[in-house]
Amino acid sequence: MKPAAIVAVVFLALPIAARAAPAQSKPLPLWEAGVLGGVASTPAYPGAADRSTRGLLLPFLIYRGKVFRADQSGIGARLVKREAVELDVGLAASLPARSDDVAARSGMPNLGTLLEFGPRLKVRIAEPSASSRIRLDIPLRAVIEARAGVRTQGFTFEPKVVYEMRSADGLWTFDANAGVVIGDKKVNRYFYEVQPQYATSARPAYRSAAGLMLTRVGASASRMINEDVRVFGFVRLESYAGAANEDSPLMKKKSGASAGVAFAWTLGRSTRLAGD
C-alpha cells in the first residue's frame, strides 16, 4: 500500500476505534493505544455500480487533548469549546479506486487517495435525556488528492444532524445522522466529468456542474465486551436522486450503501485523565 493510502487508512481507523470506546460520564484516559481490525464495503465512488471492499488490521492511538485530538470526530484541533457550541479543524480521508476495477471508468485516470481538511462548527440542539443529545454539524472541507503528488480537488460542504445516546451502564453506544453533501464544480468534475479524450460510444463526453452530490443517512453502534475490547458496526445509505450530476454517464446508480464491522483492542492507556 502506498504511503498516502496508509495515511488514509489511519485517518479512517482512528474514528472507528474511538467511536467504539465506552461512552461513560466519568473522565476518559488522555490517551489509549491498541489494535484495530475490521472490514468495510462501500461504493467505489458516489454513484458507482462497482464496490470496494477492504479489510484492515493496524495499530491505533486515541488522544483526547484540550486542543489536539484524535477521537471519534476524526483527527484535528479543537479551537473553541462552549457549553453548546464547538469549533474545530478536522481531517478525514477516503481510499483510492483503480479505474481498471471500475467498469464505468475503464481507460480513465484512477481516483486517488482523498484527504479532507477544514473547519467544522458543532451546535448542540437538544438533550432529550441525561444519556442522549442532538447536535448540528456544519463542516466545510478542502479536498486534497494524493496521487503522483498532491493537488486540491475542490471543496465540500456537509451539514448534518446527529443523534447520540448511550445505555445507562455505558456498555452500548448508538448514533444516527442525516445530512447532505454539496460540492463545488471542481470536486464534482473529479468524480463525474468525462473529458472528450475519454469519451466512448458507451460513455459520452460530459461537463459537470457544482451542487448537490448526495443525501445520506447512517447509524452506528458499539458494544463494550470488557474494559479492553469493544466491537463496532455501521451502516450508511446514500441517495443520488436530484444530484447536480445525476445525468453523468459515470453516475450508474441512484442509491448506494456502505457497511462495516470492526473491533478495537486496547493494549495500554494513560493514568492521566482527559481534561475535555
Side-chain angles (χ1 to χ4, degrees):
M1 187 179 292
K2 295 181 178 180
I6 294 173
V7 171
V9 169
V10 172
F11 284 172
L12 292 169
L14 283 173
I16 294 173
R19 192 176 287 115
Q24 301 176 17
S25 58
K26 66 179 184 180
L28 296 170
L30 178 64
W31 61 263
E32 296 180 65
V35 177
L36 173 75
V39 62
S41 178
T42 67
Y45 61 87
D50 298 278
R51 300 188 64 78
S52 176
T53 300
R54 289 183 172 88
L56 60 86
L57 180 66
L58 74 167
F60 71 81
L61 172 66
I62 300 168
Y63 183 75
R64 304 181 179 95
K66 290 186 177 181
V67 176
F68 296 103
R69 303 174 70 85
D71 58 14
Q72 70 271 20
S73 299
I75 303 174
R78 185 168 64 188
L79 304 179
V80 176
K81 179 175 173 59
R82 299 290 184 264
E83 183 175 350
V85 178
E86 185 174 330
L87 175 66
D88 63 15
V89 175
L91 294 169
S94 59
L95 291 170
R98 287 171 46 87
S99 293
D100 290 346
D101 300 328
V102 181
R105 295 187 58 87
S106 178
M108 296 184 66
N110 296 329
L111 297 176
T113 300
L114 296 181
L115 308 177
E116 298 184 36
F117 171 83
R120 175 182 55 180
L121 181 67
K122 298 191 290 186
V123 181
R124 187 185 307 169
I125 298 174
E127 290 189 355
S129 68
S131 59
S132 64
R133 63 181 177 179
I134 303 171
R135 74 171 193 268
L136 175 65
D137 284 7
I138 310 174
L140 176 65
R141 297 190 179 107
V143 181
I144 302 170
E145 181 189 20
R147 179 174 61 89
V150 176
R151 61 185 65 85
T152 60
Q153 293 293 357
F155 292 85
T156 60
F157 177 57
E158 189 181 352
K160 63 181 178 180
V161 176
V162 181
Y163 171 75
E164 298 176 314
M165 68 168 293
R166 60 180 171 84
S167 62
D169 57 12
L171 296 180
W172 284 94
T173 67
F174 172 81
D175 72 73
N177 61 82
V180 298
V181 179
I182 299 169
D184 68 354
K185 187 172 183 178
K186 191 170 184 179
V187 73
N188 275 291
R189 181 190 305 139
Y190 182 74
F191 287 116
Y192 303 117
E193 187 159 306
V194 179
Q195 297 180 4
Q197 65 266 36
Y198 299 117
T200 67
S201 58
R203 186 177 63 207
Y206 178 81
R207 183 177 293 275
S208 63
L212 179 69
M213 297 180 71
L214 56 92
T215 302
R216 175 185 290 158
V217 296
S220 66
S222 72
R223 175 67 160 85
M224 184 177 179
I225 304 302
N226 57 46
E227 185 181 29
D228 297 323
V229 179
R230 289 93 69 189
V231 294
F232 169 87
F234 80 92
V235 63
R236 189 169 65 203
L237 304 176
E238 298 174 344
S239 171
Y240 314 115
N245 296 283
E246 63 179 336
D247 294 330
S248 168
L250 300 177
M251 183 74 79
K252 293 299 185 181
K253 298 188 72 175
K254 295 296 185 182
S255 62
S258 302
V261 293
F263 73 88
W265 180 16
T266 299
L267 300 176
R269 56 176 57 87
S270 68
T271 55
R272 180 180 173 187
L273 301 178
D276 197 31

